Structures are given as structure tokens and as C-alpha cells.
Amino acid sequence: MRIVQLANFYSPTSGGLRTALHHLAAEYTLAGHDVTRIVPGPVTRGHSYGNARHIEIASPRLGRTGYRMITDGDAVTALLDRLQPDVIELSDKTTLVAAARRARSNGVPVVLISHERVDTVLRHRLPGFAPLGTMSRAWNRRLAQGCDAIVCASAYAAGEWRHVGADHVHRVPLGVDLERFDAAGPVNERESGTIELVCVGRLSTEKHPALAIGTARELTERGVACRRHMIGDGPLAPALRAAAQVRADRHRSCAGGRQHRVRSTRGRSRWRA
């Protein structure tokens, strides 16, 4: 079977969407299917990437988010006409919907992978007086009508589809790599008694990285010794790093020289405060 993955907001270095696409492509290939991935990029080009053909379409950046969005719908449609997919896996709810809808009108099934909720995305981009619920339900109703199946990883993600009466939603929970992570393993208690808080993720507005900072601050105010580790990168990284350094300097002057390190590494940022 020929599977075409369509996605916007694809980061070449990190991101949950990218990880999901690559793992799905790997499993499809193992099952004997042919996979092509179409995503935005700085220039139009194509090459093999792991287990799939990887095609980038020249697309503009979205401000300082680090993401790109495909705006050339005709280019996507032309590619789909040439690739002749048996099914389209759509990981987007914006500019790629039209191309997927056109392919579906020609008999190609479309599966929508719902990576995020429309209402949570709009909440960070619209003024408070906007009719968020009405707008998100209207858009979701249109999306649901334009695909054959919707796949969600959690009950929370599936919740927005219940509000529009979609009955073709499939919940496929995310898995955990038990070779790397052992939830039943022993908890290592440090002799110092300091709790180590680790936040791993993209440092962008919609991920709320400040919540980890607030958690550490609340614990400290309650007299709990803790140290926060922020591991990741994103548009908020410079501001968060600067804020962490200010707090570290403040703490050194008040706590008699306790050391706080701020360090950056290629492809990710890590600092402690």
C-alpha cells in the first residue's frame, strides 16, 4: 500500500509530531508498505530519510516559532496526483486540509492524526473576547466531514470531537519504550535530600514551560529543597535561560555561593536553577 504522510509544523530536529511521523513510517515499512512524507522546508527538495521518501516544499517561516507552513496547495495537489497514494495520513488541520479533501473526492481515503486540539491552539492566538468554543467546533465539524477516520492518542484529544458528534474517532494510546523507561523501578534517593525536577520538551508558549519554573518556585517557598532542570529548545529558550541566570545570581548572593550552571548544547538547551 502506498501511504502519503502530509504534515505542517514539522521540525527537522525535534518535536512530538516529527517523532510520531517517523515511528509510524518505520512500522509501516516493516509491514511492507511504501511511505512518502510531505512536509514544509526552506527549499523544495526530496531525498530518502530513514524508511520513507521525504519531500520538502518551500514554505515560509511562522514568525519566531521555528516552524514552517506549506502555503502552495497546488504543489501538494500535483505531488499527490503523481504519487497516487492508496491512503493519506493527514497530520495537519490548516493549509493541507484542502489538498487532502480534493484527494478524498477522487476516492483516496484520508486519516486525520489529531496531534493537538484546535481550541487549545486558538486560545494562545485569539483575544479573550473571541467566541473560542463556537469557532473551534465549526472548524472541527468541517474537519470531521473531510476525513474517513480520526486518530487520537488520549481521551483529552478525543474530547473535542465528541462535541461535534464525530463517530469515526479511534483512540490509540501512546506507548512507552520499556527498554529505556521502567516505571516500576526503584526511586533513587539522593543523600542531599534535594529533589531533582526535570522538564523535557519544546520551549514554546503552547507547551507552558513556565509551569515547571512555577512548580520549583512553589516548592522552594514551602521549604522543599529542589533543583530544576530544563532540557529542550524553542523560541522561549533565550528568555527562560536569562531568567534562570538572574534567579541563580540572586540565589548565590542570598544563599552563600550555591552553584547554578547555565549550559547550552547543540540542538538543545539545558540549564539548572
Side-chain angles (χ1 to χ4, degrees), residues 42-198:
V43 296
T44 297
R45 58 190 175 188
H47 57 274
S48 295
Y49 195 120
N51 299 296
R53 284 193 299 276
H54 185 89
I55 300 175
E56 296 179 6
I57 295 179
S59 307
R61 287 185 178 275
L62 290 177
R64 299 172 59 188
T65 65
Y67 292 122
R68 295 178 184 272
M69 176 186 282
I70 295 175
T71 56
D72 189 351
D74 291 339
V76 177
T77 297
L79 269 174
L80 293 177
D81 289 342
R82 178 162 57 87
L83 293 169
Q84 291 292 300
D86 295 306
V87 63
I88 291 174
E89 186 180 270
L90 178 63
S91 290
D92 182 57
K93 299 178 180 179
T94 58
T95 61
L96 298 176
V97 173
R101 187 183 293 271
R102 180 182 181 281
R104 186 170 183 262
S105 69
N106 292 326
V108 181
V110 174
V111 177
L112 173 64
I113 308 294
S114 187
H115 294 272
E116 70 292 310
R117 288 179 54 137
V118 169
D119 54 355
T120 58
V121 173
L122 292 179
R123 185 173 295 119
H124 298 292
R125 292 164 174 79
L126 295 178
F129 58 81
L132 181 62
T134 301
M135 294 174 66
S136 60
R137 283 192 296 272
W139 187 243
N140 281 334
R141 194 173 291 111
R142 179 174 172 78
L143 288 171
Q145 293 170 350
C147 62
D148 298 274
I150 301 170
V151 177
C152 301
S154 66
Y156 173 75
E160 66 176 347
W161 302 107
R162 288 195 297 270
H163 297 316
V164 297
D167 59 0
H168 51 318
V169 177
H170 304 268
R171 183 182 169 192
V172 182
L174 293 173
V176 176
D177 186 346
L178 295 179
E179 293 183 1
R180 294 189 179 186
F181 303 100
D182 183 6
V187 176
N188 295 323
E189 296 185 1
R190 299 177 181 273
E191 294 182 1
S192 64
T194 299
I195 295 176
E196 304 289 342
L197 300 177
V198 181

Side-chain angles (χ1 to χ4, degrees), residues 253-268:
S253 64
C254 297
R258 178 183 172 188
Q259 293 299 306
H260 299 252
R261 296 184 302 183
V262 179
R263 184 178 66 184
S264 298
T265 57
R266 182 180 180 185
R268 69 178 184 180

